[in-house]
Amino acid sequence: MASRTSFGGPMKNHFLIDPNYRNLNHGSFGTYPTQILEAQQSIQKSLEAAPDIFIRYTQPPLLDKSRQTLATLLNVPVSECVLVKNATTGVNTVLHNLAFTHTITPNDVVIYFDTVYGAVERSLLALKESCGVQLRKVKYTFPLEEGELVARFRDVVEEVKREGLVPRVAVFETIISNPGIRFPFEEVTRLCRELGILSLIDGAHGVGMIKLDLDKLGADFFTSNCHKWLYTPRSCAVLYVPTRNQHLIRTSLPTSWNYVPPAPSTTSTQGADDEELLPSVLPTTGDPKSAFVTLFEFTGTADDSAYACVPAAMKFRTEVCGGEEAIYGYLEKLAGEIGDVVAAALGTEVLRAVKGETGGLGCALVNVRLPVRIIESLPPARKESDSSNGMIYVRSEDASSLSHWMHAQLVERGTFVPIFPHGEWFFTRLSAQIYLDRSDFEWLAGILKEILGGVEGFLNTLKVPKASL
């Protein structure tokens, strides 16, 4: 049994992070301890030693064990949990099936939110193009008044109904990606249930960061990455569908061996759907599983070793970290501290979900405003920087270029944190993690001040006319 390790600097010994690199953006892609890498490599060696035996006979029970481990963590039956590659795949699987089963039609509306993850918004736009479903976005910029976000959602629902349309699905998050803020997913889920709207939760930042009780939550569909905050290898995510909704999930994405077509109609002419299908590549066992579970058991040849590492990740979290509550507590506490450290150094403030809100952030992400304001155009009397208050002004058309430049500057200095516009301001998102402590972000504060000192010079280069060709 591994011994308990203190959070912060001592915990870095369990990870493969380059000592010359400060991994301050765990939230985007995650990383995992050496113990779990060794577990994955052992699984991969078993696969290569006897591929057929492993994929057909050894792997399914390993995946079942991972599903059971996640089901216990999330407080739901194992029959309601399957494994997919990432949360984006989970969201797309649900959306594809809702269209496939005609649960959503051109008269229906999918409602989503202004801070939606970019890949999910593009998935919704593709759904609109493919099946004609209509979309409505709940507009807002943080911070908001208490209860305002939920109220705006209700307003959009009522507006959709006045248009004679049906608000069918709401897509929202547990923790927003950018800005990294805890979304009021519990309240929105309750409201969806009250209004008869299907709730689809993109919990990309969820499992491993915050405590989740899906039985109590009562969402219709939920997906969450395990390779971000739970410390599994990439790529691994859980897709939860309660039994009441499993009839709506007819196929995996991609459709594969365990798809079962509907029985042919007695009036149908002879066709492909009347032909006897080849059996699955996986043998039938004496442990019958639901159609929902078997859909996702084998979706094509791939390295699914990350899926089988969930028990190893949980063992590390229990033995080395001291358990879930210890991890959640350290992450939230550190997020609060590092936000204050960086904000104080820059003379700005931490972005809150609610105006005047105090207390814990409720997650491991924190956003600090940079002294960079976005405006449509620069008045003749105003320069890009105002030395009297340390403010930097950037034209909206230059905001994307500035973000990329600042990211490149961070990489040159051996780190990375997202820098992005929200409303009229630039922000940076910081990720607390068990191998980080306050000193890492005191260092980052100095790096950000150094980079901000070069912003005016960079903006001036954007004004230089290009040479004629």
mmCIF file with all atom_site columns, all heavy atoms in Angstrom, residues 269-286:
data_model
loop_
_atom_site.group_PDB
_atom_site.id
_atom_site.type_symbol
_atom_site.label_atom_id
_atom_site.label_alt_id
_atom_site.label_comp_id
_atom_site.label_asym_id
_atom_site.label_entity_id
_atom_site.label_seq_id
_atom_site.pdbx_PDB_ins_code
_atom_site.Cartn_x
_atom_site.Cartn_y
_atom_site.Cartn_z
_atom_site.occupancy
_atom_site.B_iso_or_equiv
_atom_site.pdbx_formal_charge
_atom_site.auth_seq_id
_atom_site.auth_comp_id
_atom_site.auth_asym_id
_atom_site.auth_atom_id
_atom_site.pdbx_PDB_model_num
ATOM 1   N N   . THR A 1 269 ? -40.771 -5.009  -47.840 1.00 0.00 ? 269 THR A N   1
ATOM 2   C CA  . THR A 1 269 ? -40.246 -5.874  -48.889 1.00 0.00 ? 269 THR A CA  1
ATOM 3   C C   . THR A 1 269 ? -38.893 -6.401  -48.447 1.00 0.00 ? 269 THR A C   1
ATOM 4   O O   . THR A 1 269 ? -38.268 -5.873  -47.538 1.00 0.00 ? 269 THR A O   1
ATOM 5   C CB  . THR A 1 269 ? -40.091 -5.077  -50.196 1.00 0.00 ? 269 THR A CB  1
ATOM 6   O OG1 . THR A 1 269 ? -39.219 -3.953  -49.948 1.00 0.00 ? 269 THR A OG1 1
ATOM 7   C CG2 . THR A 1 269 ? -41.431 -4.552  -50.672 1.00 0.00 ? 269 THR A CG2 1
ATOM 8   N N   . GLN A 1 270 ? -38.435 -7.466  -49.103 1.00 0.00 ? 270 GLN A N   1
ATOM 9   C CA  . GLN A 1 270 ? -37.156 -8.058  -48.727 1.00 0.00 ? 270 GLN A CA  1
ATOM 10  C C   . GLN A 1 270 ? -36.054 -7.020  -48.894 1.00 0.00 ? 270 GLN A C   1
ATOM 11  O O   . GLN A 1 270 ? -35.962 -6.340  -49.917 1.00 0.00 ? 270 GLN A O   1
ATOM 12  C CB  . GLN A 1 270 ? -36.877 -9.272  -49.624 1.00 0.00 ? 270 GLN A CB  1
ATOM 13  C CG  . GLN A 1 270 ? -35.631 -10.055 -49.237 1.00 0.00 ? 270 GLN A CG  1
ATOM 14  C CD  . GLN A 1 270 ? -35.833 -10.852 -47.960 1.00 0.00 ? 270 GLN A CD  1
ATOM 15  O OE1 . GLN A 1 270 ? -36.966 -11.030 -47.538 1.00 0.00 ? 270 GLN A OE1 1
ATOM 16  N NE2 . GLN A 1 270 ? -34.746 -11.304 -47.363 1.00 0.00 ? 270 GLN A NE2 1
ATOM 17  N N   . GLY A 1 271 ? -35.203 -6.878  -47.903 1.00 0.00 ? 271 GLY A N   1
ATOM 18  C CA  . GLY A 1 271 ? -34.110 -5.904  -47.978 1.00 0.00 ? 271 GLY A CA  1
ATOM 19  C C   . GLY A 1 271 ? -33.036 -6.245  -46.988 1.00 0.00 ? 271 GLY A C   1
ATOM 20  O O   . GLY A 1 271 ? -33.076 -7.275  -46.304 1.00 0.00 ? 271 GLY A O   1
ATOM 21  N N   . ALA A 1 272 ? -32.086 -5.327  -46.882 1.00 0.00 ? 272 ALA A N   1
ATOM 22  C CA  . ALA A 1 272 ? -30.922 -5.579  -46.034 1.00 0.00 ? 272 ALA A CA  1
ATOM 23  C C   . ALA A 1 272 ? -31.320 -5.767  -44.584 1.00 0.00 ? 272 ALA A C   1
ATOM 24  O O   . ALA A 1 272 ? -30.688 -6.526  -43.847 1.00 0.00 ? 272 ALA A O   1
ATOM 25  C CB  . ALA A 1 272 ? -29.926 -4.428  -46.176 1.00 0.00 ? 272 ALA A CB  1
ATOM 26  N N   . ASP A 1 273 ? -32.375 -5.069  -44.135 1.00 0.00 ? 273 ASP A N   1
ATOM 27  C CA  . ASP A 1 273 ? -32.727 -5.166  -42.720 1.00 0.00 ? 273 ASP A CA  1
ATOM 28  C C   . ASP A 1 273 ? -33.386 -6.503  -42.386 1.00 0.00 ? 273 ASP A C   1
ATOM 29  O O   . ASP A 1 273 ? -33.649 -6.803  -41.226 1.00 0.00 ? 273 ASP A O   1
ATOM 30  C CB  . ASP A 1 273 ? -33.629 -4.001  -42.300 1.00 0.00 ? 273 ASP A CB  1
ATOM 31  C CG  . ASP A 1 273 ? -34.932 -3.947  -43.079 1.00 0.00 ? 273 ASP A CG  1
ATOM 32  O OD1 . ASP A 1 273 ? -35.050 -4.698  -44.047 1.00 0.00 ? 273 ASP A OD1 1
ATOM 33  O OD2 . ASP A 1 273 ? -35.803 -3.131  -42.710 1.00 0.00 ? 273 ASP A OD2 1
ATOM 34  N N   . ASP A 1 274 ? -33.661 -7.314  -43.424 1.00 0.00 ? 274 ASP A N   1
ATOM 35  C CA  . ASP A 1 274 ? -34.225 -8.637  -43.165 1.00 0.00 ? 274 ASP A CA  1
ATOM 36  C C   . ASP A 1 274 ? -33.139 -9.706  -43.060 1.00 0.00 ? 274 ASP A C   1
ATOM 37  O O   . ASP A 1 274 ? -33.420 -10.855 -42.721 1.00 0.00 ? 274 ASP A O   1
ATOM 38  C CB  . ASP A 1 274 ? -35.190 -9.030  -44.286 1.00 0.00 ? 274 ASP A CB  1
ATOM 39  C CG  . ASP A 1 274 ? -36.396 -8.101  -44.325 1.00 0.00 ? 274 ASP A CG  1
ATOM 40  O OD1 . ASP A 1 274 ? -36.974 -7.879  -43.251 1.00 0.00 ? 274 ASP A OD1 1
ATOM 41  O OD2 . ASP A 1 274 ? -36.725 -7.611  -45.402 1.00 0.00 ? 274 ASP A OD2 1
ATOM 42  N N   . GLU A 1 275 ? -31.910 -9.333  -43.401 1.00 0.00 ? 275 GLU A N   1
ATOM 43  C CA  . GLU A 1 275 ? -30.837 -10.306 -43.409 1.00 0.00 ? 275 GLU A CA  1
ATOM 44  C C   . GLU A 1 275 ? -30.354 -10.596 -41.986 1.00 0.00 ? 275 GLU A C   1
ATOM 45  O O   . GLU A 1 275 ? -30.369 -9.725  -41.116 1.00 0.00 ? 275 GLU A O   1
ATOM 46  C CB  . GLU A 1 275 ? -29.667 -9.780  -44.254 1.00 0.00 ? 275 GLU A CB  1
ATOM 47  C CG  . GLU A 1 275 ? -30.015 -9.509  -45.716 1.00 0.00 ? 275 GLU A CG  1
ATOM 48  C CD  . GLU A 1 275 ? -30.386 -10.774 -46.452 1.00 0.00 ? 275 GLU A CD  1
ATOM 49  O OE1 . GLU A 1 275 ? -29.840 -11.837 -46.114 1.00 0.00 ? 275 GLU A OE1 1
ATOM 50  O OE2 . GLU A 1 275 ? -31.229 -10.701 -47.373 1.00 0.00 ? 275 GLU A OE2 1
ATOM 51  N N   . GLU A 1 276 ? -29.903 -11.808 -41.758 1.00 0.00 ? 276 GLU A N   1
ATOM 52  C CA  . GLU A 1 276 ? -29.341 -12.163 -40.462 1.00 0.00 ? 276 GLU A CA  1
ATOM 53  C C   . GLU A 1 276 ? -27.972 -11.513 -40.315 1.00 0.00 ? 276 GLU A C   1
ATOM 54  O O   . GLU A 1 276 ? -27.116 -11.630 -41.203 1.00 0.00 ? 276 GLU A O   1
ATOM 55  C CB  . GLU A 1 276 ? -29.227 -13.671 -40.324 1.00 0.00 ? 276 GLU A CB  1
ATOM 56  C CG  . GLU A 1 276 ? -28.721 -14.115 -38.955 1.00 0.00 ? 276 GLU A CG  1
ATOM 57  C CD  . GLU A 1 276 ? -28.714 -15.615 -38.796 1.00 0.00 ? 276 GLU A CD  1
ATOM 58  O OE1 . GLU A 1 276 ? -29.284 -16.298 -39.668 1.00 0.00 ? 276 GLU A OE1 1
ATOM 59  O OE2 . GLU A 1 276 ? -28.141 -16.092 -37.813 1.00 0.00 ? 276 GLU A OE2 1
ATOM 60  N N   . LEU A 1 277 ? -27.758 -10.815 -39.202 1.00 0.00 ? 277 LEU A N   1
ATOM 61  C CA  . LEU A 1 277 ? -26.510 -10.104 -38.997 1.00 0.00 ? 277 LEU A CA  1
ATOM 62  C C   . LEU A 1 277 ? -25.449 -11.011 -38.402 1.00 0.00 ? 277 LEU A C   1
ATOM 63  O O   . LEU A 1 277 ? -25.764 -11.957 -37.665 1.00 0.00 ? 277 LEU A O   1
ATOM 64  C CB  . LEU A 1 277 ? -26.729 -8.912  -38.053 1.00 0.00 ? 277 LEU A CB  1
ATOM 65  C CG  . LEU A 1 277 ? -27.644 -7.813  -38.570 1.00 0.00 ? 277 LEU A CG  1
ATOM 66  C CD1 . LEU A 1 277 ? -27.892 -6.773  -37.467 1.00 0.00 ? 277 LEU A CD1 1
ATOM 67  C CD2 . LEU A 1 277 ? -27.053 -7.133  -39.794 1.00 0.00 ? 277 LEU A CD2 1
ATOM 68  N N   . LEU A 1 278 ? -24.196 -10.709 -38.731 1.00 0.00 ? 278 LEU A N   1
ATOM 69  C CA  . LEU A 1 278 ? -23.096 -11.448 -38.129 1.00 0.00 ? 278 LEU A CA  1
ATOM 70  C C   . LEU A 1 278 ? -23.059 -11.173 -36.628 1.00 0.00 ? 278 LEU A C   1
ATOM 71  O O   . LEU A 1 278 ? -23.376 -10.074 -36.178 1.00 0.00 ? 278 LEU A O   1
ATOM 72  C CB  . LEU A 1 278 ? -21.769 -11.016 -38.756 1.00 0.00 ? 278 LEU A CB  1
ATOM 73  C CG  . LEU A 1 278 ? -21.561 -11.369 -40.234 1.00 0.00 ? 278 LEU A CG  1
ATOM 74  C CD1 . LEU A 1 278 ? -20.295 -10.695 -40.746 1.00 0.00 ? 278 LEU A CD1 1
ATOM 75  C CD2 . LEU A 1 278 ? -21.478 -12.879 -40.408 1.00 0.00 ? 278 LEU A CD2 1
ATOM 76  N N   . PRO A 1 279 ? -22.672 -12.140 -35.819 1.00 0.00 ? 279 PRO A N   1
ATOM 77  C CA  . PRO A 1 279 ? -22.597 -11.917 -34.382 1.00 0.00 ? 279 PRO A CA  1
ATOM 78  C C   . PRO A 1 279 ? -21.450 -10.985 -34.023 1.00 0.00 ? 279 PRO A C   1
ATOM 79  O O   . PRO A 1 279 ? -20.502 -10.813 -34.793 1.00 0.00 ? 279 PRO A O   1
ATOM 80  C CB  . PRO A 1 279 ? -22.363 -13.327 -33.819 1.00 0.00 ? 279 PRO A CB  1
ATOM 81  C CG  . PRO A 1 279 ? -21.695 -14.063 -34.933 1.00 0.00 ? 279 PRO A CG  1
ATOM 82  C CD  . PRO A 1 279 ? -22.302 -13.521 -36.190 1.00 0.00 ? 279 PRO A CD  1
ATOM 83  N N   . SER A 1 280 ? -21.518 -10.384 -32.844 1.00 0.00 ? 280 SER A N   1
ATOM 84  C CA  . SER A 1 280 ? -20.474 -9.493  -32.363 1.00 0.00 ? 280 SER A CA  1
ATOM 85  C C   . SER A 1 280 ? -19.152 -10.228 -32.250 1.00 0.00 ? 280 SER A C   1
ATOM 86  O O   . SER A 1 280 ? -19.107 -11.454 -32.055 1.00 0.00 ? 280 SER A O   1
ATOM 87  C CB  . SER A 1 280 ? -20.861 -8.926  -30.997 1.00 0.00 ? 280 SER A CB  1
ATOM 88  O OG  . SER A 1 280 ? -19.773 -8.231  -30.410 1.00 0.00 ? 280 SER A OG  1
ATOM 89  N N   . VAL A 1 281 ? -18.068 -9.467  -32.346 1.00 0.00 ? 281 VAL A N   1
ATOM 90  C CA  . VAL A 1 281 ? -16.742 -10.061 -32.188 1.00 0.00 ? 281 VAL A CA  1
ATOM 91  C C   . VAL A 1 281 ? -16.502 -10.501 -30.744 1.00 0.00 ? 281 VAL A C   1
ATOM 92  O O   . VAL A 1 281 ? -15.621 -11.323 -30.478 1.00 0.00 ? 281 VAL A O   1
ATOM 93  C CB  . VAL A 1 281 ? -15.629 -9.085  -32.611 1.00 0.00 ? 281 VAL A CB  1
ATOM 94  C CG1 . VAL A 1 281 ? -15.766 -8.731  -34.073 1.00 0.00 ? 281 VAL A CG1 1
ATOM 95  C CG2 . VAL A 1 281 ? -15.630 -7.829  -31.750 1.00 0.00 ? 281 VAL A CG2 1
ATOM 96  N N   . LEU A 1 282 ? -17.286 -9.950  -29.802 1.00 0.00 ? 282 LEU A N   1
ATOM 97  C CA  . LEU A 1 282 ? -17.144 -10.350 -28.407 1.00 0.00 ? 282 LEU A CA  1
ATOM 98  C C   . LEU A 1 282 ? -18.056 -11.530 -28.118 1.00 0.00 ? 282 LEU A C   1
ATOM 99  O O   . LEU A 1 282 ? -19.217 -11.533 -28.523 1.00 0.00 ? 282 LEU A O   1
ATOM 100 C CB  . LEU A 1 282 ? -17.495 -9.191  -27.473 1.00 0.00 ? 282 LEU A CB  1
ATOM 101 C CG  . LEU A 1 282 ? -16.642 -7.927  -27.590 1.00 0.00 ? 282 LEU A CG  1
ATOM 102 C CD1 . LEU A 1 282 ? -17.059 -6.923  -26.513 1.00 0.00 ? 282 LEU A CD1 1
ATOM 103 C CD2 . LEU A 1 282 ? -15.157 -8.241  -27.465 1.00 0.00 ? 282 LEU A CD2 1
ATOM 104 N N   . PRO A 1 283 ? -17.564 -12.523 -27.418 1.00 0.00 ? 283 PRO A N   1
ATOM 105 C CA  . PRO A 1 283 ? -18.392 -13.697 -27.119 1.00 0.00 ? 283 PRO A CA  1
ATOM 106 C C   . PRO A 1 283 ? -19.499 -13.367 -26.127 1.00 0.00 ? 283 PRO A C   1
ATOM 107 O O   . PRO A 1 283 ? -19.370 -12.465 -25.298 1.00 0.00 ? 283 PRO A O   1
ATOM 108 C CB  . PRO A 1 283 ? -17.398 -14.685 -26.514 1.00 0.00 ? 283 PRO A CB  1
ATOM 109 C CG  . PRO A 1 283 ? -16.332 -13.826 -25.918 1.00 0.00 ? 283 PRO A CG  1
ATOM 110 C CD  . PRO A 1 283 ? -16.213 -12.639 -26.841 1.00 0.00 ? 283 PRO A CD  1
ATOM 111 N N   . THR A 1 284 ? -20.585 -14.086 -26.224 1.00 0.00 ? 284 THR A N   1
ATOM 112 C CA  . THR A 1 284 ? -21.674 -13.951 -25.257 1.00 0.00 ? 284 THR A CA  1
ATOM 113 C C   . THR A 1 284 ? -21.255 -14.603 -23.943 1.00 0.00 ? 284 THR A C   1
ATOM 114 O O   . THR A 1 284 ? -20.715 -15.701 -23.927 1.00 0.00 ? 284 THR A O   1
ATOM 115 C CB  . THR A 1 284 ? -22.945 -14.623 -25.779 1.00 0.00 ? 284 THR A CB  1
ATOM 116 O OG1 . THR A 1 284 ? -23.294 -14.037 -27.029 1.00 0.00 ? 284 THR A OG1 1
ATOM 117 C CG2 . THR A 1 284 ? -24.093 -14.449 -24.797 1.00 0.00 ? 284 THR A CG2 1
ATOM 118 N N   . THR A 1 285 ? -21.489 -13.890 -22.849 1.00 0.00 ? 285 THR A N   1
ATOM 119 C CA  . THR A 1 285 ? -21.122 -14.431 -21.540 1.00 0.00 ? 285 THR A CA  1
ATOM 120 C C   . THR A 1 285 ? -22.385 -14.798 -20.771 1.00 0.00 ? 285 THR A C   1
ATOM 121 O O   . THR A 1 285 ? -23.498 -14.507 -21.185 1.00 0.00 ? 285 THR A O   1
ATOM 122 C CB  . THR A 1 285 ? -20.315 -13.392 -20.739 1.00 0.00 ? 285 THR A CB  1
ATOM 123 O OG1 . THR A 1 285 ? -21.164 -12.292 -20.411 1.00 0.00 ? 285 THR A OG1 1
ATOM 124 C CG2 . THR A 1 285 ? -19.118 -12.900 -21.535 1.00 0.00 ? 285 THR A CG2 1
ATOM 125 N N   . GLY A 1 286 ? -22.170 -15.396 -19.616 1.00 0.00 ? 286 GLY A N   1
ATOM 126 C CA  . GLY A 1 286 ? -23.306 -15.782 -18.784 1.00 0.00 ? 286 GLY A CA  1
ATOM 127 C C   . GLY A 1 286 ? -23.853 -14.633 -17.972 1.00 0.00 ? 286 GLY A C   1
ATOM 128 O O   . GLY A 1 286 ? -24.788 -14.807 -17.199 1.00 0.00 ? 286 GLY A O   1
#
